[in-house]
Amino acid sequence: MADSAGIQQGSPAIGAAGLVPAAPGAGGTEGAAGGSARIAVKKAQLRSSPRPKKLEKLGVYSSCKAEGACKCNGWKSQNPPPTPPRTDQPSSTVNLQEPCRSCSHTLGDHVTHLENVSEEEMNRLLGIVLDVEYLYTCVHKEEDADTKQVYFSLFKLLRKSILQMGKPMLEAQESPPFEKPSIEQGVNNFVQYKFSHLPSKERQTIMELAKMFLNQINYWQLETPSQRRQRVPNDDAAGYKANYTRWLCYCNVPQFCDSLPRYETTQIFGRTLVRSVFTVMRKQLLEQARQEKDKLPPEKRTLILTHFPKFLSMLEEEVYSHSSPIWSQDFLAGASGGLIPIHTVISAPPVARPLYYSPSPVSVDPTTCGSVSPARKTASVLEPNPVGEKRKPSEPLPHEENKRPRVVGDIPMELINEVMATITDPAAVPETSLLSAHSARDEAARHEERRGVIEFHVIGNSLNQKPNKRILMWLVGLQNVFSHQLPRMPKEYITRLVFDPKHKTLSLIKDGRVIGGICFRMFPSQGFTEIVFCAVTSNEQVKGYGTHLMNHLKEYHIKHDILNFLTYADEYAIGYFKKQGFSKDIKVPKAKYVGYIKDYEGATLMGCELNPSIPYTEFSVIIKKQKEIIKKLIERKQAQIRKVYPGLSCFKEGVRQIPIESIPGIRETGWKPIGKGKELKDPDQLYSTLKTILQHVKSHPNAWPFMEPVKKTEAPGYYQVIRFPMDLKTMSERLKSRYYMTRKLFMADMQRIFTNCREYNPPESEYYKCANLLEKFFYTKIKEAGLIEK
């Protein structure tokens, strides 16, 4: 199926010749674009022929209508034209009385059903006829059994459509689209997820890269199932074959047989198909780009040779990641649960174009566009810790509102889009000074990283690879930083862990020397990482480096699907870790980490749970822009409600009191009646509701410490500290005796359980954590029952 230019199978042309799809059954002997063009020319010539000539052509595919139930399914000429037809002979006159070579009935007997058919309908049927003839050729030329079977099925379908004068309708268990979200929507989400914060010029460049990728997918020639079985023996052969068959029927063959309904590959297929082709496609595209770089226009070389590979690397990570949000159907879900109607960022090009196609010239600064976020790179860049691959400056990540449900309420989308345009316009929003009281802690560090002043590297020692001098020097530098900043920690202990192959260190490099780092050990099987040392050299502190280091570490672990940190913090470090989202409320079950992490005397165990949807290195930027959005919306709302209403005249008429909501303009300000919990009047209904809630609470996994009254033998001095004890057993007895006449009595007793627990037990205890989790669950159930406002 390769074209005459010698392009590898499945690899669209990148150079000036442009991209052309391969024709079905082309067999590598003709250019696909030429084959498609010849079919179109033939159809145009046939449709411009005299009506008798059209009837002759359609008669070949029309069953005989003569009396006597003739079984002939197509008229056959007594004198068939030579093959191939000779151009030096004039075309013969069509005679409707010419008998059929098969059934002896006339041509007119085969086309009586077409006498009153309109010219438009006849031209449509003629188009199907030429598609049938083309597919017949494909069936005989094709060597692959699976592909031949599909061609033959389509051939029979079109043949049947001519006989029945109907429209070809593919009969399948599923109809397009076959997977949601589609490839096009997934790439659209990817651009939103990674690049929506960029200035318009750079964002336009990213969109062009995305369009090029979608264009390649739409005209990519899938390998046959048999070829794929040889290349990937352990793959899901049945799933790939199903997608291959769908692709042939709905995308590939309809490019040339236009009587069949055609769909873009990127619009009807999703993540499954793109996963099956991405690796091979990326490799072949980049290889061709390198081979044909001299043919590329100068203004497109940077785009294709520099930015496109980085774009594909970032996209590859999202394609194969199990936790990527871009493939979620709720990526842009609104508060009501439906999709927010947004303007699509990218739509696949309707026609084939060269890889370097760009509708508008865009100048790109290679230092600011296309650089890959270190924590979002592919494993080949970050994983080999012994060689310490350089982590390039971080690409800013998108607004949080692009992946979390937006609270739209009664704000029209036009207003939201208008405000967003104002926020993303650099001229409309001045940059925050680094010395401003409103600047984020890591803002200075983020700016330095973008300018290349500081770098981040994940490094570690290795026992099975040749030592790298630079890595060893950095490890020595880290050992010095940790020793100076952590004087109470034995130097031998620091050295042993820093050079231990099981430990890694995220190092902060400035002017070629180490100025800080975080040493950690990952426990993938247990689902957490232990942070061992964290320090920045004293003369580089208070610059936001510590925050930026931790943010990079969080993104690195999200990439590796580890979403929990544990660390023992001394009294000097507790404040820092709290600012980074750590708390004494440990989410990891104790059984998961006991015996795995080192216990430090006099230190406090703290934990941090990571959210894979948050781009931590750009989180402060997102918050800043969200504040700007809210500020703009408030300003617009204030401008709308600055209206003076006439005074209330009803009091002159003797009215003593009016409802607040009847005051003109009060609701326009956003005022709403103060919500109060619903007090159930019916005692039986109240009893039933409270019983259900109590049963839910007692069956919760964190309710075990509160099931019965505390025993004096188990907690000496408990009743000297807790004057008013309460437990779930006592509450059950009170509920049974109809003690709870109001919801407030019930809620007060339940709250007393949690308050007593927190008063008696230390925050790091298991009981304290159980009280917090059960309290949260209890109030969720109370809200669901409508006893308090949500």
Side-chain angles (χ1 to χ4, degrees), residues 25-210:
T29 59
E30 63 179 356
S36 180
R38 278 194 291 276
I39 297 171
V41 169
K42 285 182 180 179
K43 288 184 178 181
Q45 290 175 345
L46 187 57
R47 286 164 176 163
S48 62
S49 302
R51 190 175 179 90
K53 194 71 177 176
K54 295 180 181 180
L55 290 173
E56 181 186 34
K57 189 70 173 177
L58 288 171
V60 175
Y61 297 93
S62 301
S63 56
C64 183
K65 307 297 187 299
E67 295 180 4
C70 180
K71 295 183 179 180
C72 178
N73 63 356
W75 180 79
K76 299 173 184 62
S77 174
Q78 297 281 0
N79 301 302
T83 305
R86 296 177 57 180
T87 57
D88 56 343
Q89 290 185 347
S91 58
S92 58
T93 305
V94 177
N95 180 10
L96 294 179
Q97 299 305 317
E98 183 179 348
C100 172
R101 191 173 73 247
S102 177
C103 68
S104 300
H105 293 120
T106 65
L107 170 60
D109 290 330
H110 287 76
V111 295
T112 53
H113 63 295
L114 298 173
E115 290 178 358
N116 300 319
V117 169
S118 67
E119 200 69 19
E120 181 181 358
E121 176 64 10
M122 190 170 289
N123 287 338
R124 185 186 71 83
L125 293 172
L126 287 170
I128 301 178
V129 165
L130 286 181
D131 289 344
V132 166
E133 292 177 350
Y134 183 72
L135 281 173
Y136 180 79
T137 304
C138 291
V139 169
H140 285 275
K141 284 187 176 182
E142 184 58 52
E143 296 178 358
D144 178 71
D146 294 316
T147 310
K148 184 190 286 283
Q149 184 179 0
V150 174
Y151 288 163
F152 186 63
S153 298
L154 294 176
F155 167 82
K156 291 193 295 182
L157 172 69
L158 294 182
R159 185 81 172 79
K160 183 179 178 182
S161 298
I162 299 172
L163 289 171
Q164 298 179 352
M165 295 180 63
K167 291 186 178 181
M169 296 295 292
L170 292 167
E171 296 179 2
Q173 293 181 348
E174 293 184 66
S175 57
F178 302 111
E179 190 174 3
K180 291 182 180 180
S182 64
I183 298 172
E184 180 179 303
Q185 184 61 52
V187 175
N188 178 46
N189 293 347
F190 169 70
V191 172
Q192 291 275 11
Y193 178 49
K194 293 282 188 180
F195 308 105
S196 63
H197 65 284
L198 291 177
S200 58
K201 182 185 289 187
E202 295 176 11
R203 190 165 61 250
Q204 180 65 30
T205 302
I206 297 298
M207 289 165 64
E208 292 310 313
L209 294 172

Side-chain angles (χ1 to χ4, degrees), residues 198-266:
L198 291 177
S200 58
K201 182 185 289 187
E202 295 176 11
R203 190 165 61 250
Q204 180 65 30
T205 302
I206 297 298
M207 289 165 64
E208 292 310 313
L209 294 172
K211 287 178 182 178
M212 291 192 315
F213 174 75
L214 292 174
N215 194 46
Q216 301 305 307
I217 291 282
N218 279 333
Y219 293 97
W220 191 259
Q221 298 302 301
L222 299 188
E223 57 188 343
T224 64
S226 58
Q227 291 172 333
R228 185 169 180 82
R229 278 195 299 271
Q230 294 175 1
R231 188 175 63 82
V232 192
N234 299 325
D235 193 37
D236 178 15
Y240 182 81
K241 183 177 179 180
N243 273 339
Y244 177 77
T245 302
R246 293 164 176 166
W247 171 76
L248 280 176
C249 293
Y250 291 97
C251 305
N252 182 254
V253 174
Q255 292 181 28
F256 309 92
C257 300
D258 59 7
S259 55
L260 290 168
R262 180 180 175 234
Y263 298 84
E264 298 285 10
T265 305
T266 54

Side-chain angles (χ1 to χ4, degrees), residues 534-553:
C534 176
V536 174
T537 189
S538 54
N539 61 337
E540 296 288 357
Q541 291 180 6
V542 201
K543 296 183 179 179
Y545 292 153
T547 297
H548 208 42
L549 259 173
M550 186 61 70
N551 287 338
H552 271 301
L553 188 69

Side-chain angles (χ1 to χ4, degrees), residues 432-448 454 540-551 554 574-582 616-617 619-621 623-624 627:
T432 305
S433 169
L434 296 182
L435 302 177
S436 167
H438 301 289
S439 62
R441 282 193 300 271
D442 63 336
E443 191 160 347
R446 194 167 55 248
H447 279 276
E448 287 189 11
I454 60 175
E540 296 288 357
Q541 291 180 6
V542 201
K543 296 183 179 179
Y545 292 153
T547 297
H548 208 42
L549 259 173
M550 186 61 70
N551 287 338
K554 289 175 180 177
I574 289 177
Y576 164 78
F577 281 110
K578 280 186 175 179
K579 292 177 183 176
Q580 308 310 319
F582 286 71
Y616 285 96
T617 54
F619 192 54
S620 58
V621 176
I623 296 298
K624 175 185 170 184
K627 288 180 178 178

